[in-house]
């Protein structure tokens, strides 16, 4: 070093010593300056120093010094340090002592403690806490190196080798939910690997000196930050009580990111399939966008299966996943010649990020019809769900045009009946309504300016393996070559049945052009005329030969066929208001009644001769052989459609000139709002009495019979500030139904015996007697009609108001946060039990009462069909269904929560599927008890598990599924 540098050092040291006003002997010693010129390997020549006194210099206790040491020797970067109390410099031994909340920063390494000692000769730092006047050690060292933090009793660290020796350390390794590691003595190497003697590992949040709820104790531990914790022989300690649970060694992964690895299988026993290993396999972390999980399962009684699951996601581009499951089950595992069932289920989802005006999405959900039966889940709702649906959709809009297009493929499947329907493709082209005369009309609000035209084209190809009904109004036993067994059967999906399934394919295309406008009549009446043109394209057409009405021939003509139709209508609507005021000073201010009457007039030409054909199904009837004969009507001469009605139905036969009536009502009450403090004198609120009360019907002037359509009634309202919702509705047929004179009784294939009824052209309120079909007459009492449908339901949801603010300084209760691994492995009973327990909501209660009535007016049950077993549904459904459903949850304590879901079926007089779940938040642990106490899916599940996903296998569980109770 040059003499000029030595001179600068001496001058700066002298300046610092003078400015610090330190308590020094009479001859002050030179010291390191506050700018950090002193290097760690420098030696000051004796000829430049005054006589040396080993007395150290103490800085003023109120002064905070900050010193930076420039890089010289083996230290790689600048070291900065400061202390709140004092800094002592030993120039001869090149040691710096820092007192009072001292901090050292060296690149990514930092150290904080009440006492820190820097040794420049050995490039080491030592830190520890100090005792206060009460004997309590405070300011214990906190050492940070990169992303790691160590809370210690004492630490020695070498800047050169980056190694450390630590005593009494508590650290939280870097990783996803890595937890905490404690060791009595710890060594840390330059690769940040930590070697621990007499230590433990836990995933509980804890502070130094605090005992966690549980930990894994071992004499030897090695921590590779962001990767894993390796242990020698260990055992699990719960609440500081050792347990015999342990293994000769342990590896606990804690990667910063997902890595590929083995998935440990679950083990257990089922009564039906025996001992099992399942949900074990391998997880492939392919890249940052996609992963793959392969799982397998095997049972001691011969069943096995596998699962392929893959999830992919690219931000701002797309996301989706595939889940494929296959199982081979022995239906009767205890029998040597047991039948083997092979089932699969596939779920696929793809959702790209929409770009521009185009949209695409795909959701495929399909399975074999026996999948749920042979592979029941612990999720009761999944077992009860008997329908699967799939769809692949693409839509786009054509720029600078009013046109848009949608293309889709859809699939729906009933697992209970085994039927499926596939629509492939389903295409539609739509034109937004345009106003062609808007620019030429004199007034923007005139009827000419409001004239609008639209267009829609729909086309679909549909096939099914389900039942095929014979043409309308023709008994199947009078059709030549008709195989009722084949037509009424559900075909299995295999190569042999593929030709028959393809025969059940129907294709059609429909074009619709609506034209409408509106204007006001007499200021308060809105008039809306409209005209609609429709054209349907078919590829098949039926031809009937009834020369032998007991053996009617039906031929299918292939080719292109057009069916065009039109109709027109005009509607008149207005609003009528009526208000009843009350005396001032009362709670009720007024009641307002709003009436919305509407009348529509429509006309549809007669298409009976063009798209329908009259077919004779019996001998000619007259007054002599038909007690119900009406002039011009032969009930054995029926009208049948020429085109299949499964895709698009042709226009209704017969001319229609109808008048439609609709009467809507809204009744509400204005009351004084006592909660409003803004204007106590005039503050009011509206309470609905009836949000909607509507009656509608229509009358066909052009029909020769049955002119009046059924009455439709609907009502809706809310009570108690919207907490209670009430809905209801009914349909009443104004005509009477009498026994069919030609076939009064019939027997279904399931053994049900019923009476056949036909509609008679006589209003129900007409009291004249009618023939009963058996030689007698029916005396009629006054009635407005026959009730064919009715429904009523009332529901409410009650819960306390959410807490706005939590108490200051209090520790909020931690919610149970189920990990991804838990949600994948635990198939809990019912959809509510897959959610975490929200302890912030003290309680909640949901109630719903539902009443439904539906009656087939053309048949009346005389003798119901027998039931196959006690679990089978009623083969002859009752017209009434009445049920009460209730569910809710409640916090028994701040850490205990119970959730329930049940109901009561009034028709069967039994309690419906009931689920009960109990949650307990044990801080580091979760406790769950899931119970289905009775019914077909009786089961229970108990589990106590560590919350952290890293230790998901550290759990105790007991499970009995519903198969084990048989």
């Amino acid at each position: 070093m040059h003499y000029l540098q030595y001179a600068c050092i001496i001058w700066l040291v002298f300046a610092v010593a003078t400015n610090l006003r330190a308590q020094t002997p009479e001859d002050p010693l030179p010291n390191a300056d506050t700018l950090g010129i002193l290097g760690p390997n420098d030696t000051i020549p004796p000829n430049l120093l005054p006589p040396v006194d080993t007395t150290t210099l103490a800085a003023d206790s109120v002064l905070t010094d900050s010193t930076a040491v420039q890089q010289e020797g083996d230290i790689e970067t600048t070291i900065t340090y400061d202390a709140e109390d004092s800094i002592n410099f030993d120039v001869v031994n090149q040691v710096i002592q820092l007192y009072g909340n001292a901090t050292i920063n060296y690149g990514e390494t930092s150290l904080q403690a009440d006492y820190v000692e820097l040794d420049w000769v050995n490039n080491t730092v030592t830190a520890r806490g100090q005792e206060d006047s009460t004997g309590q050690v405070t300011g214990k060292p906190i050492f940070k190196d990169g992303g790691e933090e160590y809370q210690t009793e004492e630490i020695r660290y070498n800047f050169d080798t980056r190694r450390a020796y630590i005593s009494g350390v508590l650290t939280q390794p870097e990783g996803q939910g890595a937890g905490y590691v404690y060791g009595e003595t710890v060594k840390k190497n330059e690769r940040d690997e930590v070697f621990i003697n007499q230590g433990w590992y836990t995933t509980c949040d804890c502070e130094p000196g605090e005992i966690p709820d549980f930990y894994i104790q071992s004499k030897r531990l090695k921590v590779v930050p962001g990767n894993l914790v390796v242990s020698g022989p260990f055992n699990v300690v719960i609440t500081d009580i050792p347990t015999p649970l342990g293994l000769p060694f342990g590896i606990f992964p804690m990667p910063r990111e997902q890595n590929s690895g083995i998935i440990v299988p679950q083990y257990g026993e089922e009564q039906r399939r025996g001992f099992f290993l399942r949900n074990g396999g391998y997880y492939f972390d392919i890249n940052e966008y996609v992963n793959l999980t392969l799982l397998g399962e095997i049972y001691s009684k011969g069943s096995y299966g596998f699962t392929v699951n893959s999830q992919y996601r690219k931000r701002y581009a797309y996301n989706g996943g595939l889940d494929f499951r296959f199982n081979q089950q022995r239906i009767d595992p205890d029998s040597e010649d047991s039948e083997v069932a092979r089932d699969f289920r596939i779920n696929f989802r793809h959702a790209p990020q929409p770009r521009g005006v185009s949209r695409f999405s795909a959701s495929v959900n399909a399975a074999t019809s026996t999948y749920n039966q042979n592979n029941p889940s612990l999720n009761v709702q999944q077992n009860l769900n008997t329908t699967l649906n799939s769809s692949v959709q693409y839509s786009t809009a054509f720029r600078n045009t009013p046109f848009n297009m949608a293309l889709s493929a859809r699939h729906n499947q009933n697992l209970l009946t085994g039927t499926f329907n596939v629509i492939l493709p389903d295409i539609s082209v739509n034109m937004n309504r345009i106003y062609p005369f808007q620019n030429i009309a004199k007034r923007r609000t005139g009827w000419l300016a409001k004239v609008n035209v639209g267009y829609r084209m729909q086309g679909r190809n549909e096939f099914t393996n389900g039942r095929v009904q014979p043409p309308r109004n023709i008994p199947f036993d009078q059709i030549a070559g008709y195989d009722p067994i084949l037509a009424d059967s559900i075909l299995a999906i295999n190569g042999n049945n593929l030709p028959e399934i393809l025969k059940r394919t129907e294709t059609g295309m429909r074009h619709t052009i609506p034209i409408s406008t509106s204007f006001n009549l007499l200021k308060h009446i809105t008039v809306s005329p409209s005209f609609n043109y429709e054209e349907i394209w078919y590829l098949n057409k039926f031809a009937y030969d009834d020369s032998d009405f007991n053996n009617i021939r039906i031929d299918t003509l292939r080719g292109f066929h057009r069916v065009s139709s039109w109709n027109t209508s005009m509607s008149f609507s207005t609003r009528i208001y009526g208000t009843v005021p009350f005396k001032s000073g009362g709670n009720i201010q007024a009641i307002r009644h709003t009436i919305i009457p509407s009348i529509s007039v429509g006309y549809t030409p007669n298409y009976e001769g063009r798209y329908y054909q009259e077919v004779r199904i019996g001998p000619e009837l007259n007054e002599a052989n038909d007690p119900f004969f009406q002039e011009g009507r032969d009930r054995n001469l029926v009208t049948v459609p020429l085109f299949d009605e499964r895709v698009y139905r042709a226009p209704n036969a017969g001319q229609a000139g109808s008048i439609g009536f609709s009467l809507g009502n809204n009744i509400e009450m204005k009351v004084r709002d006592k909660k409003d403090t803004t204007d106590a004198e005039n503050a009011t609120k509206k309470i609905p009495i009836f949000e909607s009360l509507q009656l509608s019907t229509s009358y066909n002037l052009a029909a020769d019979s049955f002119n009046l359509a059924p009455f439709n009634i609907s009502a809706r309202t809310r009570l108690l500030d919207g907490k209670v919702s009430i809905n209801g509705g009914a349909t009443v047929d104004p005509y009477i139904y009498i026994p069919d004179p030609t076939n009064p009784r019939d027997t279904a294939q399931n053994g049900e015996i019923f009476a056949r009824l036909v509609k008679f052209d006589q209003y129900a309120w007409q009291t004249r007697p009618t023939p009963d079909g058996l030689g007698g007459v029916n005396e009629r009492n006054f009635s407005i009609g026959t009730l064919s449908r009715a429904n009523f339901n009332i529901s409410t949801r009650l819960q306390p108001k959410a807490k706005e603010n939590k108490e200051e300084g209090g520790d909020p209760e931690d919610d149970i946060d189920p990990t991804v691994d838990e949600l994948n492995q635990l198939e809990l009973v019912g959809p509510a039990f897959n959610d975490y327990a929200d302890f912030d909501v003290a309680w909640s209660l949901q109630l719903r009462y539902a009443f439904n009535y539906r009656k087939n007016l053309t048949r009346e049950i005389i003798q119901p069909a027998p039931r196959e077993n006690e679990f089978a549904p009623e083969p002859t459904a009752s017209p009434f269904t009445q049920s009460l459903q209730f569910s809710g949850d409640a916090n028994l304590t701040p850490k205990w929560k119970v959730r329930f879901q049940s109901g009561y079926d009034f028709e069967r007089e039994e309690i419906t599927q009931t689920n009960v779940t109990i949650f307990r938040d044990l801080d580091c642990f979760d406790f769950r008890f899931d119970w289905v106490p009775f019914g077909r899916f009786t089961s229970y599940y108990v589990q106590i598990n560590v919350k952290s996903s890293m230790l998901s296998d550290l759990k105790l569980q007991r499970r009995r599924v519903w198969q084990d109770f048989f």
Side-chain angles (χ1 to χ4, degrees):
M1 183 178 290
H2 298 288
Y3 287 103
L4 180 59
Q5 289 178 309
Y6 287 130
C8 291
I9 291 174
I10 295 172
W11 182 82
L12 288 174
V13 169
F14 176 77
V16 171
T18 304
N19 292 332
L20 286 178
R21 300 178 183 176
Q23 299 175 358
T24 61
E26 295 181 2
D27 297 325
L29 296 176
N31 203 346
D33 68 355
T34 57
L35 299 179
I37 304 301
L38 178 64
N41 297 324
D42 287 346
T43 57
I44 302 176
N47 58 346
L48 297 180
L49 292 174
V52 177
D53 189 339
T54 57
T55 304
T56 57
L57 301 178
D60 193 309
S61 59
V62 297
L63 180 64
T64 299
D65 190 15
S66 179
T67 305
V69 181
Q70 299 295 336
Q71 174 183 341
E72 290 192 24
D74 296 327
I75 294 181
E76 299 177 354
T77 186
T78 301
I79 300 175
T80 63
Y81 53 86
D82 63 23
E84 290 185 356
D85 185 78
S86 60
I87 301 177
N88 291 338
F89 298 88
D90 187 344
V91 178
V92 175
N93 297 315
Q94 300 191 46
V95 173
I96 300 177
Q97 296 172 323
L98 297 90
Y99 297 90
N101 196 19
T103 59
I104 302 290
N105 293 293
Y106 174 62
E108 296 182 355
T109 303
S110 66
L111 177 63
Q112 180 178 355
D114 256 12
Y115 173 77
V116 178
E117 180 179 295
L118 282 168
D119 186 341
W120 296 117
V121 176
N122 299 312
N123 292 335
T124 62
V125 60
T126 302
R128 61 177 178 270
Q130 295 191 110
E131 290 187 2
D132 58 14
S133 58
T134 63
Q136 183 74 22
V137 178
T138 61
K140 294 181 180 180
I142 299 177
F143 177 68
K144 297 180 181 179
D145 188 7
E148 310 298 328
E149 179 178 312
Y150 305 87
Q151 302 180 46
T152 71
E153 299 288 340
E154 183 177 354
I155 183 172
R156 296 199 302 271
Y157 179 76
N158 190 298
F159 291 105
D160 183 16
T161 62
R162 295 182 60 88
R163 295 185 178 184
Y165 180 86
I166 313 170
S167 62
V169 63
L170 178 68
T171 179
Q172 185 176 19
E174 186 176 357
Q176 297 179 351
Y180 293 85
V181 177
Y182 174 82
E184 292 184 3
T185 56
V186 176
K187 292 182 179 180
K188 174 185 174 297
N189 63 18
E190 64 277 7
R191 295 189 297 272
D192 292 334
E193 297 173 345
V194 178
F195 302 86
I196 300 174
N197 180 41
Q198 297 295 339
W200 49 255
Y201 169 68
T202 183
T203 56
C204 293
D205 291 333
C206 60
E207 297 294 333
E210 180 183 354
I211 299 176
D213 291 346
F214 86 97
Y215 55 86
I216 296 171
Q217 188 177 50
S218 177
K219 292 183 178 180
R220 296 289 185 270
L221 285 171
K222 177 181 177 180
V223 179
V224 182
N227 191 358
L228 51 83
V229 176
V230 181
S231 167
F234 72 90
N235 69 306
V236 179
V237 179
I238 299 177
T239 62
D240 211 26
I241 301 175
T243 68
L245 303 175
L247 290 172
F249 67 92
I251 300 176
F252 310 101
M254 49 180 181
R256 295 185 178 91
E257 299 177 353
Q258 290 181 331
N259 289 326
S260 301
I262 297 174
I263 300 175
V264 179
Q266 300 174 352
Y267 62 90
E269 180 186 9
E270 282 187 11
Q271 180 175 336
R272 177 189 174 199
R273 294 182 285 188
F275 295 98
F276 63 78
L277 287 175
R278 63 188 178 198
N279 292 334
Y282 200 86
Y283 173 82
F284 296 90
D285 183 32
I286 299 176
N287 54 44
E288 60 179 323
Y289 304 115
V290 61
N291 59 32
L292 175 65
T293 303
L294 300 179
L295 300 175
E297 58 185 60
I298 186 170
Y299 298 83
S300 61
K301 293 185 178 181
S303 300
Y304 65 89
F306 65 87
T307 299
V308 178
N309 182 278
S310 179
Q311 304 293 326
Y312 58 88
R313 180 182 184 88
K314 186 175 182 181
R315 184 173 296 182
Y316 310 120
Y318 52 79
N319 67 83
L322 169 69
D323 185 79
F324 178 80
R325 301 172 183 241
F326 172 83
N327 293 91
Q328 178 171 300
Q329 307 286 343
R330 293 173 61 89
I331 304 303
D332 186 6
D334 298 325
S335 175
E336 295 182 357
D337 56 349
S338 172
E339 182 181 352
V340 176
R342 296 177 177 85
D343 298 289
F344 74 89
R345 180 167 184 170
I346 183 171
N347 292 273
F348 172 72
R349 181 183 61 85
H350 180 71
Q353 185 76 15
R355 297 184 181 276
V357 295
S358 299
R359 301 288 187 275
F360 177 81
S361 65
S363 175
V364 177
N365 191 4
T368 54
S369 58
T370 57
Y371 182 86
N372 280 359
Q373 177 182 348
N374 295 328
N375 302 273
S377 168
L378 288 179
N379 189 322
V380 174
Q381 297 299 325
Q382 180 176 324
N383 294 333
L384 297 178
N385 183 20
T386 59
T387 59
L388 300 176
N389 298 280
S390 305
S391 66
V392 179
Q393 299 178 338
Y394 172 78
S395 63
T396 187
F398 301 99
R399 297 182 183 275
N400 303 320
T401 71
F403 292 95
N404 59 79
M405 181 188 72
L407 181 65
S408 66
R410 298 197 303 274
H411 151 268
N412 61 79
Q413 180 179 0
N414 189 308
L415 298 178
L416 189 63
T417 62
T419 60
F420 74 88
N421 294 282
V422 177
I423 302 176
L424 177 67
D426 186 358
I427 184 172
S428 66
V429 177
N430 301 291
M431 183 187 75
N432 298 329
R433 290 182 178 268
I434 60 175
Y435 297 82
F437 307 113
Q438 195 173 47
N439 294 329
I440 62 175
K442 294 182 179 180
R443 293 186 305 150
R444 287 278 184 174
T445 59
W447 69 270
L448 184 60
K450 294 181 180 180
V451 173
N452 59 86
V453 181
Y455 170 76
R456 184 177 187 183
M457 183 274 289
Q458 293 177 289
R460 67 170 58 175
N461 179 73
E462 180 177 355
F463 60 89
T464 180
N465 71 331
R467 298 180 177 90
V468 178
Q469 299 296 329
R472 186 174 12 135
N473 298 330
I474 300 180
F476 68 85
D477 55 354
Q478 296 181 222
I479 300 176
Y482 185 79
D483 187 351
I485 298 178
L486 179 62
D488 198 47
S489 63
I490 298 174
L491 303 178
I493 306 174
N494 53 46
N496 296 331
N497 292 329
L498 183 59
E500 181 62 28
I501 293 176
L502 294 178
K503 287 182 181 179
R504 302 183 182 187
T505 302
E506 292 298 330
T507 305
M509 183 173 289
R510 180 171 61 188
H511 307 264
T512 306
I513 302 177
I515 304 174
S516 63
T517 187
S518 65
F519 58 91
N520 292 334
L521 180 66
L522 302 177
K523 294 185 179 180
H524 303 293
I525 300 176
T526 301
V527 182
S528 302
S530 64
F531 176 86
N532 296 280
Y533 176 81
E534 183 177 87
E535 183 169 306
I536 304 175
W537 296 348
Y538 295 98
L539 299 182
N540 297 328
K541 182 179 180 180
F542 296 141
Y544 303 88
D545 182 3
D546 60 351
S547 55
D548 182 3
F549 56 78
N550 288 320
N551 195 23
I552 301 173
R553 294 182 55 84
I554 303 178
D555 296 325
T556 301
L557 307 178
R558 308 289 181 183
F560 177 76
H561 307 279
R562 294 174 56 250
V563 173
S564 59
S565 63
W566 61 271
N567 64 78
T568 184
S569 65
M570 180 177 292
S571 65
F572 304 83
S573 63
T574 187
R575 288 177 177 265
I576 302 173
Y577 300 94
T579 303
V580 179
F582 287 79
K583 294 181 179 180
S584 61
N587 290 331
I588 302 177
Q589 302 292 306
I591 294 179
R592 187 175 75 169
H593 183 193
T594 303
I595 304 175
I596 310 172
S598 176
I599 300 175
S600 62
V601 180
Y603 174 76
T604 301
N606 186 0
Y607 297 104
E608 184 174 350
R610 296 174 58 183
Y611 308 132
Y612 294 83
Q613 179 180 338
E614 289 188 339
V615 176
R616 180 162 293 281
I617 60 173
E620 184 176 354
L621 298 178
N622 51 43
E623 295 182 359
N625 56 14
D626 184 7
F628 302 103
F629 178 78
Q630 294 180 354
E631 189 66 31
R633 295 186 61 196
D634 185 349
R635 289 186 297 104
N636 281 342
L637 190 64
V638 297
T639 301
V640 295
L642 297 177
F643 302 94
D644 198 298
E645 300 178 335
R646 284 184 294 165
V647 181
Y648 299 112
R649 186 169 182 172
N652 291 329
Q655 185 179 10
S658 61
I659 300 178
F661 305 92
S662 175
L663 184 64
N665 296 268
N666 175 272
I667 305 175
E668 56 187 2
M669 178 170 55
K670 182 185 293 186
V671 300
R672 187 180 303 278
D673 188 1
K674 298 180 180 180
K675 296 181 180 180
D676 194 329
T677 59
T678 57
D679 189 355
E681 295 294 331
N682 300 318
T684 60
K685 64 178 180 179
K686 296 180 181 179
I687 297 178
I689 300 177
F690 279 104
E691 289 186 340
S692 174
L693 176 61
Q694 190 163 352
L695 170 67
S696 63
T697 187
S698 64
Y699 190 86
N700 190 352
L701 298 172
D704 57 355
S705 59
F706 305 111
N707 306 79
L708 186 61
F711 301 105
N712 292 304
I713 305 170
S714 64
R716 183 184 74 253
T717 190
R718 291 180 298 167
L719 303 176
L720 302 177
D721 292 333
K723 294 182 176 64
V724 179
S725 298
I726 302 176
N727 294 273
T731 300
V732 178
D733 194 318
Y735 295 94
I736 63 173
Y737 285 77
I738 61 175
D740 189 338
T742 59
N743 188 12
R745 292 192 177 186
D746 203 351
T747 303
Q749 294 182 357
N750 61 359
E752 174 189 85
I753 301 176
F754 59 91
R756 295 168 60 97
L757 304 175
V758 293
K759 185 186 288 190
F760 189 71
D761 192 14
Q762 178 179 317
Y763 295 123
W765 52 83
Q766 294 175 330
T767 57
R768 66 174 183 267
T770 57
D772 61 3
L774 302 176
V777 294
N778 292 322
E779 294 294 336
R780 304 297 298 177
N781 296 320
F782 178 80
S783 172
I784 62 171
T786 305
L787 184 66
S788 62
R789 180 194 65 85
N791 69 281
F792 171 80
N793 66 77
I794 178 172
S795 62
T796 182
R797 177 183 175 89
L798 304 175
Q799 69 178 42
K801 292 184 178 180
K803 298 179 181 179
E804 295 182 359
N805 296 309
K806 297 182 178 179
E807 297 181 1
E808 295 183 2
D811 294 330
E813 302 291 348
D814 295 331
D815 293 339
I816 293 180
D817 187 11
T819 64
V820 175
D821 182 70
E822 290 169 350
L823 294 178
N824 288 338
Q825 295 187 24
L826 296 180
E827 295 179 51
L828 302 178
V829 181
F833 304 108
N834 288 328
D835 301 331
Y836 66 91
D838 186 0
F839 285 91
D840 288 337
V841 179
W843 61 271
S844 66
L845 178 64
Q846 300 85 41
L847 298 172
R848 185 177 187 272
Y849 170 79
F851 171 85
N852 288 278
Y853 172 82
R854 187 175 294 274
K855 182 180 181 181
N856 187 348
L857 301 182
T858 62
R859 57 191 295 171
E860 187 174 290
I861 305 299
I862 298 176
Q863 178 178 324
R867 294 178 65 181
E868 296 180 357
N869 55 66
E870 61 176 326
F871 298 115
E874 293 282 356
T876 304
S878 170
F880 297 95
T881 59
Q882 188 178 186
S883 65
L884 174 65
Q885 299 174 359
F886 51 90
S887 62
D889 55 57
N891 291 350
L892 304 180
T893 70
K895 295 287 187 176
W896 283 91
K897 193 177 193 72
V898 61
R899 181 177 292 164
F900 61 90
Q901 178 181 352
S902 186
Y904 185 78
D905 190 326
F906 293 93
E907 297 306 313
R908 295 189 176 185
E909 297 182 350
E910 62 183 17
I911 298 176
T912 61
Q913 190 67 60
T914 300
N915 308 324
V916 178
T917 291
I918 298 175
F919 298 92
R920 175 65 167 100
D921 185 359
L922 299 172
D923 293 331
C924 300
F925 294 90
D926 283 341
F927 169 82
R928 294 171 182 258
F929 174 67
D930 305 314
W931 183 34
V932 179
F934 46 78
R936 181 179 181 184
F937 298 104
T938 301
S939 59
Y940 70 81
Y941 185 94
V942 182
Q943 174 167 300
I944 301 176
N945 64 281
V946 176
K947 285 184 179 181
S948 173
S949 60
M950 289 182 53
L951 300 178
S952 59
D953 291 324
L954 187 58
K955 59 189 174 184
L956 296 175
Q957 61 181 6
R958 171 62 175 163
R959 173 185 312 195
R960 289 199 69 184
V961 295
W962 59 273
Q963 304 100 316
D964 297 334
F965 288 87
F966 292 116

